Short mmCIF file of all heavy atoms in Angstrom, two decimals:
data_model
loop_
_atom_site.label_atom_id
_atom_site.label_comp_id
_atom_site.label_asym_id
_atom_site.label_seq_id
_atom_site.Cartn_x
_atom_site.Cartn_y
_atom_site.Cartn_z
N ASN A 11 -7.67 9.85 6.17
CA ASN A 11 -8.66 10.96 6.17
C ASN A 11 -10.07 10.39 6.30
O ASN A 11 -10.81 10.99 7.04
CB ASN A 11 -8.55 11.62 4.83
CG ASN A 11 -7.29 12.52 4.86
OD1 ASN A 11 -6.78 12.81 5.88
ND2 ASN A 11 -6.76 12.85 3.71
N VAL A 12 -10.35 9.33 5.62
CA VAL A 12 -11.79 8.76 5.68
C VAL A 12 -12.10 8.28 7.09
O VAL A 12 -13.09 8.63 7.65
CB VAL A 12 -11.89 7.54 4.68
CG1 VAL A 12 -13.23 6.88 4.84
CG2 VAL A 12 -11.68 8.07 3.28
N LEU A 13 -11.16 7.61 7.73
CA LEU A 13 -11.35 7.08 9.07
C LEU A 13 -11.36 8.15 10.07
O LEU A 13 -12.27 8.08 10.94
CB LEU A 13 -10.17 6.14 9.40
CG LEU A 13 -10.25 4.76 8.72
CD1 LEU A 13 -8.92 3.98 8.85
CD2 LEU A 13 -11.37 3.90 9.16
N GLU A 14 -10.63 9.23 9.92
CA GLU A 14 -10.66 10.24 10.86
C GLU A 14 -11.96 11.12 10.78
O GLU A 14 -12.57 11.51 11.84
CB GLU A 14 -9.44 11.20 10.79
CG GLU A 14 -8.29 10.57 11.44
CD GLU A 14 -6.94 11.42 11.21
OE1 GLU A 14 -6.93 12.26 10.43
OE2 GLU A 14 -5.99 11.11 11.91
N ALA A 15 -12.45 11.27 9.56
CA ALA A 15 -13.73 11.98 9.41
C ALA A 15 -14.82 11.17 9.90
O ALA A 15 -15.83 11.67 10.63
CB ALA A 15 -13.99 12.15 7.87
N LYS A 16 -14.81 9.81 9.73
CA LYS A 16 -15.77 8.84 10.29
C LYS A 16 -15.78 8.97 11.86
O LYS A 16 -16.82 8.92 12.52
CB LYS A 16 -15.50 7.50 9.79
CG LYS A 16 -16.63 6.52 10.02
CD LYS A 16 -17.71 6.67 9.06
CE LYS A 16 -19.04 6.13 9.53
NZ LYS A 16 -20.21 6.60 8.77
N GLN A 17 -14.62 8.96 12.44
CA GLN A 17 -14.46 9.07 13.80
C GLN A 17 -15.09 10.25 14.38
O GLN A 17 -15.86 10.18 15.39
CB GLN A 17 -12.99 8.99 14.20
CG GLN A 17 -12.71 9.09 15.73
CD GLN A 17 -11.27 8.88 16.06
OE1 GLN A 17 -10.84 7.99 16.67
NE2 GLN A 17 -10.38 9.72 15.56
N THR A 18 -14.75 11.44 13.77
CA THR A 18 -15.37 12.67 14.23
C THR A 18 -16.86 12.62 14.19
O THR A 18 -17.53 13.10 15.13
CB THR A 18 -14.90 13.84 13.33
OG1 THR A 18 -13.41 13.70 13.18
CG2 THR A 18 -15.27 15.11 13.84
N GLU A 19 -17.36 12.11 13.00
CA GLU A 19 -18.89 12.03 12.90
C GLU A 19 -19.46 11.13 13.90
O GLU A 19 -20.51 11.50 14.53
CB GLU A 19 -19.06 11.42 11.43
CG GLU A 19 -20.51 11.27 11.06
CD GLU A 19 -20.73 10.36 9.88
OE1 GLU A 19 -19.86 10.39 8.96
OE2 GLU A 19 -21.77 9.62 9.85
N LEU A 20 -18.87 10.01 14.20
CA LEU A 20 -19.45 9.05 15.13
C LEU A 20 -19.38 9.65 16.61
O LEU A 20 -20.31 9.53 17.35
CB LEU A 20 -18.73 7.69 15.03
CG LEU A 20 -19.11 6.86 13.89
CD1 LEU A 20 -18.15 5.66 13.74
CD2 LEU A 20 -20.49 6.32 14.01
N VAL A 21 -18.32 10.16 16.89
CA VAL A 21 -18.21 10.85 18.32
C VAL A 21 -19.22 11.90 18.43
O VAL A 21 -19.98 11.86 19.49
CB VAL A 21 -16.79 11.51 18.44
CG1 VAL A 21 -16.69 12.39 19.67
CG2 VAL A 21 -15.69 10.40 18.58
N HIS A 22 -19.40 12.76 17.43
CA HIS A 22 -20.43 13.70 17.42
C HIS A 22 -21.75 13.10 17.65
O HIS A 22 -22.63 13.53 18.47
CB HIS A 22 -20.32 14.45 16.20
CG HIS A 22 -21.23 15.73 16.13
ND1 HIS A 22 -20.90 16.84 16.82
CD2 HIS A 22 -22.39 15.92 15.49
CE1 HIS A 22 -21.80 17.75 16.58
NE2 HIS A 22 -22.78 17.22 15.87
N LEU A 23 -22.07 12.03 16.80
CA LEU A 23 -23.33 11.41 16.84
C LEU A 23 -23.69 10.79 18.29
O LEU A 23 -24.72 10.95 18.81
CB LEU A 23 -23.32 10.25 15.87
CG LEU A 23 -24.64 9.87 15.10
CD1 LEU A 23 -24.98 11.02 14.18
CD2 LEU A 23 -24.30 8.70 14.37
N LEU A 24 -22.59 10.15 18.87
CA LEU A 24 -22.81 9.36 20.09
C LEU A 24 -23.02 10.38 21.21
O LEU A 24 -23.69 10.19 22.13
CB LEU A 24 -21.60 8.51 20.36
CG LEU A 24 -21.55 7.26 19.46
CD1 LEU A 24 -20.24 6.57 19.58
CD2 LEU A 24 -22.73 6.29 19.90
N ARG A 25 -22.38 11.62 21.17
CA ARG A 25 -22.50 12.57 22.14
C ARG A 25 -23.84 13.21 22.11
O ARG A 25 -24.42 13.48 23.12
CB ARG A 25 -21.39 13.64 21.86
CG ARG A 25 -20.91 14.21 23.16
CD ARG A 25 -19.78 15.20 22.90
NE ARG A 25 -18.44 14.54 22.94
CZ ARG A 25 -17.35 14.95 22.19
NH1 ARG A 25 -17.48 16.07 21.54
NH2 ARG A 25 -16.30 14.27 22.30
N ASN A 26 -24.34 13.46 20.86
CA ASN A 26 -25.71 14.04 20.81
C ASN A 26 -26.83 13.11 21.17
O ASN A 26 -27.93 13.57 21.46
CB ASN A 26 -25.89 14.54 19.41
CG ASN A 26 -25.12 15.83 19.21
OD1 ASN A 26 -24.49 16.38 20.11
ND2 ASN A 26 -24.96 16.21 17.94
N ARG A 27 -26.54 11.82 21.05
CA ARG A 27 -27.57 10.81 21.35
C ARG A 27 -28.18 10.94 22.69
O ARG A 27 -29.36 10.74 22.95
CB ARG A 27 -26.94 9.42 21.15
CG ARG A 27 -27.94 8.27 21.12
CD ARG A 27 -28.65 8.31 19.68
NE ARG A 27 -27.67 8.40 18.62
CZ ARG A 27 -27.15 7.39 18.01
NH1 ARG A 27 -27.50 6.14 18.37
NH2 ARG A 27 -26.27 7.49 17.06
N ASP A 28 -27.32 11.29 23.75
CA ASP A 28 -27.83 11.39 25.12
C ASP A 28 -28.78 12.42 25.24
O ASP A 28 -29.85 12.25 25.80
CB ASP A 28 -26.55 11.90 25.97
CG ASP A 28 -25.61 10.76 26.09
OD1 ASP A 28 -25.92 9.62 25.88
OD2 ASP A 28 -24.44 11.08 26.47
N GLY A 29 -28.60 13.59 24.45
CA GLY A 29 -29.65 14.65 24.48
C GLY A 29 -30.94 14.18 24.04
O GLY A 29 -31.99 14.51 24.57
N ILE A 30 -30.98 13.38 22.82
CA ILE A 30 -32.22 12.99 22.35
C ILE A 30 -32.87 11.97 23.29
O ILE A 30 -34.12 12.15 23.47
CB ILE A 30 -31.94 12.09 21.06
CG1 ILE A 30 -31.31 13.12 19.98
CG2 ILE A 30 -33.18 11.44 20.49
CD1 ILE A 30 -30.65 12.42 18.80
N ALA A 31 -32.15 11.14 23.96
CA ALA A 31 -32.75 10.21 24.86
C ALA A 31 -33.55 10.86 26.01
O ALA A 31 -34.59 10.54 26.44
CB ALA A 31 -31.74 9.20 25.36
N ILE A 32 -32.90 11.92 26.48
CA ILE A 32 -33.51 12.70 27.59
C ILE A 32 -34.74 13.45 27.15
O ILE A 32 -35.82 13.35 27.77
CB ILE A 32 -32.47 13.75 28.20
CG1 ILE A 32 -31.32 13.03 28.84
CG2 ILE A 32 -33.17 14.59 29.12
CD1 ILE A 32 -30.09 13.78 29.09
N THR A 33 -34.80 13.97 25.98
CA THR A 33 -36.02 14.69 25.50
C THR A 33 -37.11 13.67 25.32
O THR A 33 -38.26 13.96 25.75
CB THR A 33 -35.76 15.34 24.10
OG1 THR A 33 -34.41 15.78 24.01
CG2 THR A 33 -36.78 16.37 23.66
N LYS A 34 -36.77 12.50 24.81
CA LYS A 34 -37.79 11.47 24.58
C LYS A 34 -38.36 11.01 25.99
O LYS A 34 -39.54 10.72 26.07
CB LYS A 34 -37.14 10.26 23.87
CG LYS A 34 -37.48 10.41 22.36
CD LYS A 34 -36.98 9.26 21.61
CE LYS A 34 -37.11 9.51 20.18
NZ LYS A 34 -36.20 8.72 19.43
N CYS A 35 -37.50 10.96 26.90
CA CYS A 35 -37.95 10.55 28.22
C CYS A 35 -38.97 11.52 28.83
O CYS A 35 -39.91 11.05 29.48
CB CYS A 35 -36.75 10.48 29.12
SG CYS A 35 -36.89 9.38 30.55
N ALA A 36 -38.78 12.74 28.52
CA ALA A 36 -39.64 13.78 29.07
C ALA A 36 -41.01 13.78 28.40
O ALA A 36 -42.05 14.26 28.81
CB ALA A 36 -39.10 15.22 28.98
N ASP A 37 -41.03 13.29 27.12
CA ASP A 37 -42.23 13.25 26.34
C ASP A 37 -43.18 12.37 26.97
O ASP A 37 -42.96 11.40 27.72
CB ASP A 37 -42.00 12.67 24.96
CG ASP A 37 -41.73 13.83 24.02
OD1 ASP A 37 -41.88 15.01 24.38
OD2 ASP A 37 -41.28 13.59 22.82
N SER A 38 -44.54 12.47 26.68
CA SER A 38 -45.60 11.64 27.23
C SER A 38 -45.88 10.52 26.22
O SER A 38 -47.05 10.28 25.94
CB SER A 38 -46.79 12.36 27.56
OG SER A 38 -47.23 13.13 26.41
N LEU A 39 -44.93 9.81 25.77
CA LEU A 39 -45.11 8.62 24.91
C LEU A 39 -45.71 7.49 25.80
O LEU A 39 -45.40 7.37 26.90
CB LEU A 39 -43.84 8.16 24.34
CG LEU A 39 -43.03 9.09 23.43
CD1 LEU A 39 -41.68 8.50 23.13
CD2 LEU A 39 -43.81 9.13 22.09
N ASP A 40 -46.59 6.70 25.22
CA ASP A 40 -46.98 5.65 26.00
C ASP A 40 -45.98 4.53 26.15
O ASP A 40 -44.99 4.58 25.48
CB ASP A 40 -48.44 4.99 25.44
CG ASP A 40 -48.08 4.28 24.14
OD1 ASP A 40 -47.51 3.19 24.19
OD2 ASP A 40 -48.56 4.84 23.12
N GLU A 41 -46.15 3.69 27.01
CA GLU A 41 -45.07 2.88 27.44
C GLU A 41 -44.48 1.92 26.42
O GLU A 41 -43.30 1.74 26.26
CB GLU A 41 -45.46 1.98 28.68
CG GLU A 41 -44.66 2.17 29.91
CD GLU A 41 -45.28 1.54 31.06
OE1 GLU A 41 -45.16 0.37 31.20
OE2 GLU A 41 -45.82 2.28 31.95
N VAL A 42 -45.43 1.33 25.53
CA VAL A 42 -45.00 0.45 24.49
C VAL A 42 -44.10 1.28 23.46
O VAL A 42 -43.05 0.84 23.12
CB VAL A 42 -46.23 -0.12 23.86
CG1 VAL A 42 -45.74 -1.04 22.67
CG2 VAL A 42 -46.96 -0.93 24.84
N GLN A 43 -44.69 2.38 23.11
CA GLN A 43 -43.94 3.14 22.13
C GLN A 43 -42.61 3.57 22.76
O GLN A 43 -41.64 3.53 21.96
CB GLN A 43 -44.74 4.45 21.78
CG GLN A 43 -44.23 5.12 20.59
CD GLN A 43 -44.98 6.37 20.21
OE1 GLN A 43 -46.03 6.62 20.75
NE2 GLN A 43 -44.46 7.21 19.30
N TYR A 44 -42.58 3.97 23.92
CA TYR A 44 -41.32 4.37 24.50
C TYR A 44 -40.40 3.24 24.53
O TYR A 44 -39.22 3.39 24.19
CB TYR A 44 -41.60 4.85 25.97
CG TYR A 44 -40.33 5.28 26.66
CD1 TYR A 44 -39.54 6.39 26.18
CD2 TYR A 44 -39.78 4.55 27.72
CE1 TYR A 44 -38.42 6.74 26.93
CE2 TYR A 44 -38.65 4.83 28.37
CZ TYR A 44 -37.96 6.05 27.96
OH TYR A 44 -36.78 6.32 28.54
N ALA A 45 -40.83 2.00 24.91
CA ALA A 45 -39.95 0.92 24.96
C ALA A 45 -39.37 0.55 23.56
O ALA A 45 -38.20 0.27 23.41
CB ALA A 45 -40.63 -0.33 25.49
N THR A 46 -40.19 0.66 22.56
CA THR A 46 -39.74 0.46 21.20
C THR A 46 -38.67 1.48 20.75
O THR A 46 -37.72 1.14 20.24
CB THR A 46 -40.95 0.52 20.21
OG1 THR A 46 -41.95 -0.27 20.73
CG2 THR A 46 -40.57 0.07 18.83
N GLU A 47 -39.01 2.75 20.99
CA GLU A 47 -38.06 3.83 20.57
C GLU A 47 -36.71 3.56 21.34
O GLU A 47 -35.71 3.80 20.76
CB GLU A 47 -38.67 5.16 21.07
CG GLU A 47 -39.99 5.47 20.43
CD GLU A 47 -39.84 6.49 19.36
OE1 GLU A 47 -38.85 7.23 19.37
OE2 GLU A 47 -40.78 6.60 18.46
N ARG A 48 -36.88 3.16 22.60
CA ARG A 48 -35.64 3.10 23.42
C ARG A 48 -34.86 1.85 22.90
O ARG A 48 -33.63 1.95 22.76
CB ARG A 48 -36.07 2.73 24.94
CG ARG A 48 -35.25 3.32 25.92
CD ARG A 48 -35.67 2.90 27.22
NE ARG A 48 -34.66 2.14 28.00
CZ ARG A 48 -33.65 2.81 28.49
NH1 ARG A 48 -33.51 4.10 28.39
NH2 ARG A 48 -32.65 2.07 29.15
N GLU A 49 -35.58 0.85 22.55
CA GLU A 49 -34.93 -0.33 21.97
C GLU A 49 -34.09 0.06 20.74
O GLU A 49 -32.95 -0.38 20.53
CB GLU A 49 -36.00 -1.33 21.72
CG GLU A 49 -35.59 -2.58 20.97
CD GLU A 49 -34.75 -3.57 21.87
OE1 GLU A 49 -34.74 -3.32 23.12
OE2 GLU A 49 -34.09 -4.41 21.25
N LEU A 50 -34.83 0.80 19.81
CA LEU A 50 -34.14 1.19 18.61
C LEU A 50 -32.94 2.07 18.83
O LEU A 50 -31.96 1.92 18.17
CB LEU A 50 -35.16 1.94 17.73
CG LEU A 50 -36.25 1.09 17.02
CD1 LEU A 50 -37.25 1.99 16.24
CD2 LEU A 50 -35.62 0.11 16.06
N ALA A 51 -33.09 3.05 19.73
CA ALA A 51 -32.01 3.91 20.15
C ALA A 51 -30.84 3.15 20.56
O ALA A 51 -29.65 3.45 20.23
CB ALA A 51 -32.53 4.94 21.14
N ILE A 52 -31.11 2.12 21.47
CA ILE A 52 -30.04 1.39 22.08
C ILE A 52 -29.38 0.56 20.95
O ILE A 52 -28.15 0.53 20.91
CB ILE A 52 -30.53 0.43 23.16
CG1 ILE A 52 -30.91 1.33 24.40
CG2 ILE A 52 -29.57 -0.62 23.56
CD1 ILE A 52 -31.73 0.58 25.48
N ARG A 53 -30.17 0.01 20.06
CA ARG A 53 -29.56 -0.83 19.00
C ARG A 53 -28.65 0.02 18.10
O ARG A 53 -27.57 -0.39 17.74
CB ARG A 53 -30.69 -1.45 18.15
CG ARG A 53 -30.25 -2.87 17.92
CD ARG A 53 -31.44 -3.59 17.17
NE ARG A 53 -32.51 -3.87 18.06
CZ ARG A 53 -33.74 -4.22 17.52
NH1 ARG A 53 -33.93 -4.30 16.25
NH2 ARG A 53 -34.73 -4.55 18.35
N SER A 54 -29.14 1.19 17.79
CA SER A 54 -28.26 2.07 16.85
C SER A 54 -27.06 2.57 17.57
O SER A 54 -26.02 2.84 17.12
CB SER A 54 -29.14 3.08 16.12
OG SER A 54 -29.26 4.25 16.98
N LEU A 55 -27.32 2.85 18.97
CA LEU A 55 -26.12 3.25 19.75
C LEU A 55 -25.07 2.18 19.80
O LEU A 55 -23.89 2.40 19.59
CB LEU A 55 -26.67 3.57 21.14
CG LEU A 55 -25.70 4.14 22.21
CD1 LEU A 55 -25.52 5.61 21.69
CD2 LEU A 55 -26.22 4.16 23.53
N ASP A 56 -25.56 0.89 19.97
CA ASP A 56 -24.58 -0.19 19.96
C ASP A 56 -23.85 -0.25 18.69
O ASP A 56 -22.68 -0.53 18.63
CB ASP A 56 -25.47 -1.48 20.00
CG ASP A 56 -25.49 -2.07 21.50
OD1 ASP A 56 -25.16 -1.34 22.32
OD2 ASP A 56 -26.04 -3.20 21.58
N ARG A 57 -24.56 -0.12 17.51
CA ARG A 57 -24.02 -0.26 16.25
C ARG A 57 -22.89 0.79 16.01
O ARG A 57 -21.88 0.64 15.69
CB ARG A 57 -25.09 -0.10 15.18
CG ARG A 57 -24.76 -0.78 13.87
CD ARG A 57 -25.86 -0.68 12.91
NE ARG A 57 -26.61 0.56 12.96
CZ ARG A 57 -27.90 0.74 12.95
NH1 ARG A 57 -28.60 -0.30 12.93
NH2 ARG A 57 -28.38 1.94 13.00
N ASP A 58 -23.35 2.18 16.40
CA ASP A 58 -22.37 3.19 16.25
C ASP A 58 -21.15 3.14 17.06
O ASP A 58 -20.14 3.41 16.72
CB ASP A 58 -23.17 4.55 16.48
CG ASP A 58 -24.12 4.85 15.45
OD1 ASP A 58 -24.04 4.23 14.38
OD2 ASP A 58 -25.01 5.71 15.63
N SER A 59 -21.37 2.59 18.32
CA SER A 59 -20.11 2.55 19.23
C SER A 59 -19.32 1.34 18.78
O SER A 59 -18.09 1.49 18.83
CB SER A 59 -20.55 2.48 20.74
OG SER A 59 -21.65 1.64 20.88
N ASN A 60 -19.86 0.25 18.22
CA ASN A 60 -19.12 -0.77 17.64
C ASN A 60 -18.22 -0.22 16.47
O ASN A 60 -16.99 -0.47 16.28
CB ASN A 60 -19.96 -1.85 17.08
CG ASN A 60 -20.27 -2.85 18.18
OD1 ASN A 60 -19.51 -2.98 19.18
ND2 ASN A 60 -21.36 -3.59 18.06
#
Side-chain angles (χ1 to χ4, degrees):
N11 286 339
V12 173
L13 286 166
E14 281 176 348
K16 192 77 200 164
Q17 177 174 244
T18 310
E19 182 196 322
L20 284 167
V21 166
H22 187 75
L23 210 70
L24 287 165
R25 210 172 275 157
N26 287 347
R27 195 76 48 92
D28 291 341
I30 295 166
I32 292 162
T33 320
K34 265 183 186 153
C35 205
D37 266 351
S38 55
L39 294 171
D40 69 71
E41 239 167 76
V42 176
Q43 191 184 349
Y44 178 68
T46 312
E47 300 255 341
R48 215 181 124 76
E49 174 74 13
L50 285 176
I52 290 170
R53 221 176 288 167
S54 84
L55 190 70
D56 262 11
R57 205 175 43 226
D58 290 344
S59 38
N60 274 335

